[in-house]
Amino acid sequence: MRIAVLSETEGAETRVAATPETVKKYKGLGADVVVQAGAGTKAGITDAELDASGAVIAPSREETLRDADIILKVRRPADGELTGAKPGALLISIMDPYGQDAALKNLAAAQVAAFAMELMPRITRAQVMDVLSSQANLAGYRAVVDATAEYGRAMPMMMTAAGTVPAARVFVMGAGVAGLQAIATARRLGAVVTATDVRPAAKEQVESLGAKFVAVEDEEFKQAETAGGYAKEMSAEYQAKQAALVASHIAKQDIVITTALIPGRPAPKLVSRAMVESMKPGSVIVDLAVERGGNCELAQPGQVVEHNGVKIVGHLNMPGRLAATASSLYAKNLYAFVETLVDKESKALSVKWDDELVKATCLTRDGAVVHPAFQPKA
């Protein structure tokens, strides 16, 4: 069994799909691991470290792919990147499959069985494979660090001989994994933190971290969560009421961090131009949904822009701004999944195609798109 780890070709991508720790674990499963030269450089992992852990360093993509049974990446391969891959090889990465019909068709044409890690079901046995949580956790932390760097004042209240410095006021929009970590981080830095979310269960979680919950808590709010724990899209009436409450609250904030995403949909617009203009000069907005169109109307992907003295931070790939930690967690997520695809006794690949984890994540197989949610439109 041969596992290939490819370099990332996406410019903003700094993460890598394997670390010296997981290479050793793959060796323990009986696999030979081949890593493309330089794959870990941006994450602070040298070829020498990977070599010392038992990996073979291949000088080119073609040599890395040759005869590989499993191909590991962070992001979905670009068109043509899998040229030379063995038919039937398993490709495992973050696939970003929504609205990507042509890309999925190309994966099917490459004759690989492609698995999307972000489609992993949220069940107990798959928690260790949950890439959305592992990466969002880091994004929430980094959002506060970046906001603090852009904000020209101290975060905690300080009592000095020269006078008292007030605590910064931080508002977190969306209390999922990223939002909760942002709340915890801002609280650790001494800020006064408030948060909002459309899911009723989030209120208790927000308050348990010492933040105040801000939301219109009507009947619709009480029903606003899917069985999978995701936020439902709210009615126009509710959105208007919530927007009015949020608008008055944002005007008093120093830092706003937006984290709202609904899988497969453009990011909901939560912060309008008028809301930005209501904030004090020197305030900061960090938009974690900028890759999906952004929660803030004025956010620009990959840029820090300024409007009326308010900085709007739109960094792409926020987990990748903590490349070493993000790679470590992502590589462990991948290993946990790969382990379920290998027979421990024969040390050979043995995919159980009816396993719920496989069925939930498998996008393409035998030259066709097989996932029911991504069937080509007639």
Side-chain angles (χ1 to χ4, degrees):
M1 181 173 61
R2 184 175 164 111
I3 296 176
V5 179
L6 292 181
S7 292
E8 299 302 312
T9 55
E10 166 72 38
E13 189 51 75
T14 56
R15 295 169 289 181
V16 64
T19 61
E21 181 185 351
T22 60
V23 167
K24 288 175 188 171
K25 289 184 174 180
Y26 289 127
K27 297 288 286 181
L29 288 180
D32 293 323
V33 182
V34 184
V35 181
Q36 187 174 345
T41 304
K42 291 180 182 174
I45 300 169
T46 65
D47 289 347
E49 287 177 279
L50 290 163
D51 179 65
S53 67
V56 172
I57 307 301
S60 66
R61 179 189 58 80
E62 291 78 10
E63 287 189 48
T64 308
L65 274 179
R66 187 175 298 138
D67 297 325
D69 301 294
I70 300 174
I71 303 161
L72 303 180
K73 275 192 102 266
V74 178
R75 300 211 181 210
R76 182 184 69 237
D79 190 18
E81 205 177 327
L82 295 177
T83 302
K86 184 164 79 172
L90 310 186
L91 167 69
I92 308 172
S93 76
I94 298 169
M95 291 289 180
D96 186 22
Y98 295 100
Q100 299 291 336
D101 293 354
L104 296 186
K105 194 174 173 186
N106 288 336
L107 288 176
Q111 295 292 320
V112 295
F115 293 85
M117 286 297 289
E118 71 266 53
L119 299 181
M120 197 64 68
R122 289 194 155 170
I123 57 175
T124 303
R125 67 182 278 237
Q127 279 182 333
V128 69
M129 309 167 200
D130 186 353
V131 299
L132 291 180
S133 292
S134 76
Q135 302 303 295
N137 202 29
L138 296 174
Y141 164 80
R142 183 68 200 216
V144 176
V145 171
D146 283 345
T148 307
E150 298 290 349
Y151 182 56
R153 297 174 175 82
M155 292 288 272
M157 184 180 83
M158 296 181 186
M159 300 181 76
T160 76
T164 301
V165 177
R169 284 167 295 194
V170 176
F171 182 42
V172 179
M173 304 185 75
V177 174
L180 291 173
Q181 183 57 251
I183 291 166
T185 304
R187 287 277 297 147
R188 282 195 291 268
L189 290 174
V192 174
V193 185
T194 52
T196 189
D197 196 286
V198 296
R199 295 169 301 124
K203 180 178 181 179
E204 189 179 334
Q205 295 166 326
V206 164
E207 291 174 345
S208 74
L209 291 170
K212 184 183 173 191
F213 192 68
V214 177
V216 176
E217 298 183 44
D218 61 9
E219 279 306 308
E220 183 177 356
F221 173 78
K222 291 170 187 169
Q223 312 295 324
E225 195 167 340
T226 66
Y230 291 103
K232 280 185 184 174
E233 194 152 19
M234 305 298 276
S235 70
E237 293 78 15
Y238 181 88
Q239 287 179 13
K241 286 189 286 186
Q242 176 73 357
L245 175 66
V246 164
S248 63
H249 189 67
I250 279 179
K252 308 181 197 106
Q253 302 305 301
D254 299 305
I255 293 172
V256 175
I257 294 170
T258 70
T259 71
L261 278 174
I262 299 166
R265 304 272 182 88
K269 288 286 181 273
L270 303 178
V271 181
S272 66
R273 174 188 290 265
M275 291 179 189
V276 175
E277 291 172 352
S278 75
M279 296 177 75
K280 299 184 297 291
S283 303
V284 178
I285 298 169
V286 180
D287 192 335
L288 286 183
V290 74
E291 292 188 39
R292 290 278 182 281
N295 296 141
C296 177
E297 186 182 339
L298 301 177
Q300 294 293 325
Q303 295 181 44
V304 178
V305 296
E306 196 167 316
H307 182 80
N308 277 20
V310 177
K311 288 183 180 176
I312 303 154
V313 179
H315 294 311
L316 296 170
N317 187 17
M318 195 64 89
R321 291 172 66 76
L322 296 161
T325 309
S327 297
S328 172
L329 296 181
Y330 177 68
K332 287 175 186 172
N333 294 145
L334 283 183
Y335 173 78
F337 181 48
V338 170
E339 194 180 17
T340 69
L341 310 175
V342 176
D343 184 280
K344 301 291 190 301
E345 289 183 12
S346 66
K347 299 202 167 182
L349 206 52
S350 178
V351 182
K352 299 178 181 69
W353 294 102
D354 59 349
D355 183 288
E356 61 186 324
L357 304 185
V358 170
K359 288 199 290 189
T361 56
C362 186
L363 293 173
T364 67
R365 187 185 175 198
D366 297 334
V369 177
V370 295
H371 198 291
F374 301 100
Q375 292 299 312
K377 294 178 179 62

